[in-house]
Amino acid sequence: MNLLLVSSVVSSQKYEHCRELRHKKLLDPNQKYLLQLLQGLAYNKDITISAVSALPVSASSCSKRNFSLDMEIESSIRFIYLPFINGKYLRYITLFLSTLSYILRWCVINRKEKNILLCDSLIMQCSVIAKLIAHLFGIKVVAIVTDLT
């Protein structure tokens, strides 16, 4: 079974790197929650876990402009960091298109297997298109609400 999480969760090492890039020191309450959720699910050896992530940076907190596609594996969890151009509105558009491309490819490659898609509702630019594509391919979708404040 394949499980794909669409959110802004990153590996511990990448999170420290993102914190160094930021001008402002912001809190990310969903980072700890979702990382622990993935690590707990990783104990089940019958599940292949991947996380498609929008890096937790923005134009107001980071001056770096271009972020390229990056991948890493930590604790048997595969993290895929989507490419985007960091700008006030350009970040949302490029993340939407990157998510569209990656989720379509993932659904086609894994169409013969049992798949589940988890979406973090706070990352709307990625979750909406991921949910739509997953429904077109008949994949079960679960939404996660991590912060209501």
Side-chain angles (χ1 to χ4, degrees):
M1 177 169 57
N2 296 311
L3 182 121
L4 182 67
L5 172 67
V6 177
S7 70
S8 63
V9 68
V10 295
S11 68
S12 302
Q13 182 180 358
K14 190 64 132 180
Y15 183 68
E16 290 304 317
H17 175 71
C18 289
R19 287 186 59 144
E20 291 171 7
L21 288 175
R22 291 178 178 169
H23 301 278
K24 302 175 186 175
K25 299 301 176 197
L26 303 171
L27 295 176
D28 298 307
N30 64 343
Q31 168 67 25
K32 185 176 179 182
Y33 170 75
L34 290 174
L35 189 58
Q36 288 177 346
L37 175 70
L38 289 177
Q39 289 170 343
L41 288 169
Y43 283 112
N44 187 340
K45 299 301 179 193
D46 296 332
I47 301 175
T48 303
I49 300 173
S50 301
V52 174
S53 299
L55 291 176
V57 295
S58 66
S60 64
S61 66
C62 177
S63 60
K64 186 175 177 182
R65 187 92 166 124
N66 293 320
F67 290 87
S68 59
L69 180 68
D70 194 14
M71 294 182 199
E72 66 181 345
I73 296 175
E74 180 182 285
S75 305
S76 73
I77 302 164
R78 186 170 158 226
F79 291 94
I80 299 105
Y81 307 115
L82 296 171
F84 65 95
I85 300 170
N86 197 14
K88 190 171 185 178
Y89 299 108
L90 204 51
R91 177 177 186 266
Y92 300 116
I93 296 166
T94 54
L95 278 172
F96 180 88
L97 295 173
S98 295
T99 304
L100 171 69
S101 170
Y102 186 82
I103 299 297
L104 265 175
R105 190 170 43 243
W106 183 81
C107 287
V108 169
I109 290 170
N110 297 303
R111 70 180 172 270
K112 296 190 186 213
E113 299 176 35
K114 186 175 180 183
N115 300 306
I116 297 176
L117 179 71
L118 296 173
C119 292
D120 183 357
S121 62
L122 295 178
I123 310 298
M124 197 63 120
Q125 66 273 18
C126 298
S127 296
V128 168
I129 192 66
K131 178 186 175 294
L132 177 67
I133 293 169
H135 279 297
L136 291 174
F137 280 85
I139 296 171
K140 291 185 180 183
V141 179
V142 178
I144 298 174
V145 180
T146 53
D147 190 10
L148 296 173
T149 58

PDB file of all heavy atoms in Angstrom, residues 132-148:
ATOM      1  N   LEU A 132      -8.497  16.565  -6.071  1.00  0.00           N
ATOM      2  CA  LEU A 132      -9.231  16.433  -7.323  1.00  0.00           C
ATOM      3  C   LEU A 132      -8.652  15.309  -8.187  1.00  0.00           C
ATOM      4  O   LEU A 132      -9.393  14.463  -8.694  1.00  0.00           O
ATOM      5  CB  LEU A 132      -9.193  17.762  -8.085  1.00  0.00           C
ATOM      6  CG  LEU A 132      -9.863  17.764  -9.454  1.00  0.00           C
ATOM      7  CD1 LEU A 132     -11.368  17.579  -9.307  1.00  0.00           C
ATOM      8  CD2 LEU A 132      -9.553  19.038 -10.186  1.00  0.00           C
ATOM      9  N   ILE A 133      -7.353  15.277  -8.339  1.00  0.00           N
ATOM     10  CA  ILE A 133      -6.705  14.244  -9.160  1.00  0.00           C
ATOM     11  C   ILE A 133      -6.911  12.868  -8.531  1.00  0.00           C
ATOM     12  O   ILE A 133      -7.194  11.891  -9.233  1.00  0.00           O
ATOM     13  CB  ILE A 133      -5.211  14.562  -9.353  1.00  0.00           C
ATOM     14  CG1 ILE A 133      -5.062  15.828 -10.197  1.00  0.00           C
ATOM     15  CG2 ILE A 133      -4.491  13.394 -10.014  1.00  0.00           C
ATOM     16  CD1 ILE A 133      -3.664  16.373 -10.235  1.00  0.00           C
ATOM     17  N   ALA A 134      -6.768  12.775  -7.214  1.00  0.00           N
ATOM     18  CA  ALA A 134      -6.940  11.490  -6.535  1.00  0.00           C
ATOM     19  C   ALA A 134      -8.360  10.956  -6.743  1.00  0.00           C
ATOM     20  O   ALA A 134      -8.553   9.763  -6.976  1.00  0.00           O
ATOM     21  CB  ALA A 134      -6.635  11.634  -5.050  1.00  0.00           C
ATOM     22  N   HIS A 135      -9.358  11.824  -6.672  1.00  0.00           N
ATOM     23  CA  HIS A 135     -10.738  11.390  -6.905  1.00  0.00           C
ATOM     24  C   HIS A 135     -10.932  10.904  -8.340  1.00  0.00           C
ATOM     25  O   HIS A 135     -11.664   9.945  -8.575  1.00  0.00           O
ATOM     26  CB  HIS A 135     -11.728  12.513  -6.586  1.00  0.00           C
ATOM     27  CG  HIS A 135     -12.031  12.640  -5.133  1.00  0.00           C
ATOM     28  ND1 HIS A 135     -12.650  11.649  -4.411  1.00  0.00           N
ATOM     29  CD2 HIS A 135     -11.783  13.639  -4.250  1.00  0.00           C
ATOM     30  CE1 HIS A 135     -12.784  12.032  -3.151  1.00  0.00           C
ATOM     31  NE2 HIS A 135     -12.252  13.235  -3.026  1.00  0.00           N
ATOM     32  N   LEU A 136     -10.277  11.544  -9.293  1.00  0.00           N
ATOM     33  CA  LEU A 136     -10.370  11.107 -10.689  1.00  0.00           C
ATOM     34  C   LEU A 136      -9.795   9.707 -10.885  1.00  0.00           C
ATOM     35  O   LEU A 136     -10.259   8.953 -11.732  1.00  0.00           O
ATOM     36  CB  LEU A 136      -9.654  12.098 -11.606  1.00  0.00           C
ATOM     37  CG  LEU A 136     -10.306  13.472 -11.752  1.00  0.00           C
ATOM     38  CD1 LEU A 136      -9.415  14.396 -12.580  1.00  0.00           C
ATOM     39  CD2 LEU A 136     -11.689  13.360 -12.392  1.00  0.00           C
ATOM     40  N   PHE A 137      -8.789   9.359 -10.084  1.00  0.00           N
ATOM     41  CA  PHE A 137      -8.159   8.045 -10.170  1.00  0.00           C
ATOM     42  C   PHE A 137      -8.761   7.043  -9.186  1.00  0.00           C
ATOM     43  O   PHE A 137      -8.298   5.918  -9.085  1.00  0.00           O
ATOM     44  CB  PHE A 137      -6.647   8.156  -9.929  1.00  0.00           C
ATOM     45  CG  PHE A 137      -5.886   8.619 -11.134  1.00  0.00           C
ATOM     46  CD1 PHE A 137      -5.742   9.969 -11.408  1.00  0.00           C
ATOM     47  CD2 PHE A 137      -5.329   7.704 -12.008  1.00  0.00           C
ATOM     48  CE1 PHE A 137      -5.043  10.403 -12.523  1.00  0.00           C
ATOM     49  CE2 PHE A 137      -4.624   8.120 -13.123  1.00  0.00           C
ATOM     50  CZ  PHE A 137      -4.485   9.482 -13.387  1.00  0.00           C
ATOM     51  N   GLY A 138      -9.773   7.444  -8.424  1.00  0.00           N
ATOM     52  CA  GLY A 138     -10.429   6.545  -7.480  1.00  0.00           C
ATOM     53  C   GLY A 138      -9.618   6.250  -6.236  1.00  0.00           C
ATOM     54  O   GLY A 138      -9.764   5.197  -5.621  1.00  0.00           O
ATOM     55  N   ILE A 139      -8.775   7.184  -5.835  1.00  0.00           N
ATOM     56  CA  ILE A 139      -7.919   7.016  -4.658  1.00  0.00           C
ATOM     57  C   ILE A 139      -8.618   7.624  -3.447  1.00  0.00           C
ATOM     58  O   ILE A 139      -9.190   8.713  -3.526  1.00  0.00           O
ATOM     59  CB  ILE A 139      -6.536   7.678  -4.888  1.00  0.00           C
ATOM     60  CG1 ILE A 139      -5.819   6.961  -6.032  1.00  0.00           C
ATOM     61  CG2 ILE A 139      -5.703   7.682  -3.624  1.00  0.00           C
ATOM     62  CD1 ILE A 139      -4.558   7.648  -6.489  1.00  0.00           C
ATOM     63  N   LYS A 140      -8.566   6.928  -2.319  1.00  0.00           N
ATOM     64  CA  LYS A 140      -9.158   7.444  -1.088  1.00  0.00           C
ATOM     65  C   LYS A 140      -8.364   8.655  -0.610  1.00  0.00           C
ATOM     66  O   LYS A 140      -7.134   8.652  -0.616  1.00  0.00           O
ATOM     67  CB  LYS A 140      -9.169   6.375  -0.001  1.00  0.00           C
ATOM     68  CG  LYS A 140     -10.119   5.258  -0.294  1.00  0.00           C
ATOM     69  CD  LYS A 140     -10.201   4.288   0.856  1.00  0.00           C
ATOM     70  CE  LYS A 140     -11.169   3.189   0.500  1.00  0.00           C
ATOM     71  NZ  LYS A 140     -11.366   2.255   1.570  1.00  0.00           N
ATOM     72  N   VAL A 141      -9.092   9.673  -0.161  1.00  0.00           N
ATOM     73  CA  VAL A 141      -8.477  10.910   0.305  1.00  0.00           C
ATOM     74  C   VAL A 141      -8.904  11.175   1.739  1.00  0.00           C
ATOM     75  O   VAL A 141     -10.086  11.062   2.068  1.00  0.00           O
ATOM     76  CB  VAL A 141      -8.887  12.112  -0.582  1.00  0.00           C
ATOM     77  CG1 VAL A 141      -8.267  13.390  -0.069  1.00  0.00           C
ATOM     78  CG2 VAL A 141      -8.498  11.844  -2.027  1.00  0.00           C
ATOM     79  N   VAL A 142      -7.947  11.521   2.589  1.00  0.00           N
ATOM     80  CA  VAL A 142      -8.218  11.884   3.978  1.00  0.00           C
ATOM     81  C   VAL A 142      -7.638  13.285   4.200  1.00  0.00           C
ATOM     82  O   VAL A 142      -6.485  13.533   3.893  1.00  0.00           O
ATOM     83  CB  VAL A 142      -7.566  10.881   4.963  1.00  0.00           C
ATOM     84  CG1 VAL A 142      -7.816  11.302   6.391  1.00  0.00           C
ATOM     85  CG2 VAL A 142      -8.070   9.473   4.702  1.00  0.00           C
ATOM     86  N   ALA A 143      -8.458  14.181   4.733  1.00  0.00           N
ATOM     87  CA  ALA A 143      -7.993  15.528   5.032  1.00  0.00           C
ATOM     88  C   ALA A 143      -7.563  15.609   6.498  1.00  0.00           C
ATOM     89  O   ALA A 143      -8.196  15.022   7.366  1.00  0.00           O
ATOM     90  CB  ALA A 143      -9.095  16.549   4.764  1.00  0.00           C
ATOM     91  N   ILE A 144      -6.491  16.340   6.724  1.00  0.00           N
ATOM     92  CA  ILE A 144      -5.985  16.539   8.081  1.00  0.00           C
ATOM     93  C   ILE A 144      -6.049  18.025   8.390  1.00  0.00           C
ATOM     94  O   ILE A 144      -5.533  18.846   7.633  1.00  0.00           O
ATOM     95  CB  ILE A 144      -4.532  16.050   8.209  1.00  0.00           C
ATOM     96  CG1 ILE A 144      -4.445  14.559   7.921  1.00  0.00           C
ATOM     97  CG2 ILE A 144      -3.971  16.366   9.581  1.00  0.00           C
ATOM     98  CD1 ILE A 144      -3.036  14.022   7.897  1.00  0.00           C
ATOM     99  N   VAL A 145      -6.695  18.371   9.485  1.00  0.00           N
ATOM    100  CA  VAL A 145      -6.739  19.746   9.944  1.00  0.00           C
ATOM    101  C   VAL A 145      -5.817  19.842  11.146  1.00  0.00           C
ATOM    102  O   VAL A 145      -6.076  19.212  12.182  1.00  0.00           O
ATOM    103  CB  VAL A 145      -8.182  20.177  10.329  1.00  0.00           C
ATOM    104  CG1 VAL A 145      -8.205  21.611  10.804  1.00  0.00           C
ATOM    105  CG2 VAL A 145      -9.125  19.977   9.159  1.00  0.00           C
ATOM    106  N   THR A 146      -4.730  20.593  11.006  1.00  0.00           N
ATOM    107  CA  THR A 146      -3.709  20.600  12.062  1.00  0.00           C
ATOM    108  C   THR A 146      -3.754  21.828  12.951  1.00  0.00           C
ATOM    109  O   THR A 146      -3.235  21.786  14.050  1.00  0.00           O
ATOM    110  CB  THR A 146      -2.301  20.526  11.427  1.00  0.00           C
ATOM    111  OG1 THR A 146      -2.168  21.549  10.455  1.00  0.00           O
ATOM    112  CG2 THR A 146      -2.091  19.174  10.797  1.00  0.00           C
ATOM    113  N   ASP A 147      -4.349  22.918  12.500  1.00  0.00           N
ATOM    114  CA  ASP A 147      -4.306  24.141  13.295  1.00  0.00           C
ATOM    115  C   ASP A 147      -5.580  24.933  13.066  1.00  0.00           C
ATOM    116  O   ASP A 147      -5.875  25.304  11.932  1.00  0.00           O
ATOM    117  CB  ASP A 147      -3.084  24.960  12.902  1.00  0.00           C
ATOM    118  CG  ASP A 147      -2.830  26.119  13.844  1.00  0.00           C
ATOM    119  OD1 ASP A 147      -3.478  26.177  14.905  1.00  0.00           O
ATOM    120  OD2 ASP A 147      -1.972  26.958  13.531  1.00  0.00           O
ATOM    121  N   LEU A 148      -6.309  25.201  14.109  1.00  0.00           N
ATOM    122  CA  LEU A 148      -7.549  25.954  13.990  1.00  0.00           C
ATOM    123  C   LEU A 148      -7.475  27.334  14.624  1.00  0.00           C
ATOM    124  O   LEU A 148      -8.489  28.001  14.764  1.00  0.00           O
ATOM    125  CB  LEU A 148      -8.704  25.169  14.607  1.00  0.00           C
ATOM    126  CG  LEU A 148      -9.033  23.850  13.920  1.00  0.00           C
ATOM    127  CD1 LEU A 148     -10.076  23.099  14.725  1.00  0.00           C
ATOM    128  CD2 LEU A 148      -9.524  24.083  12.518  1.00  0.00           C
TER     129      LEU A 148
END
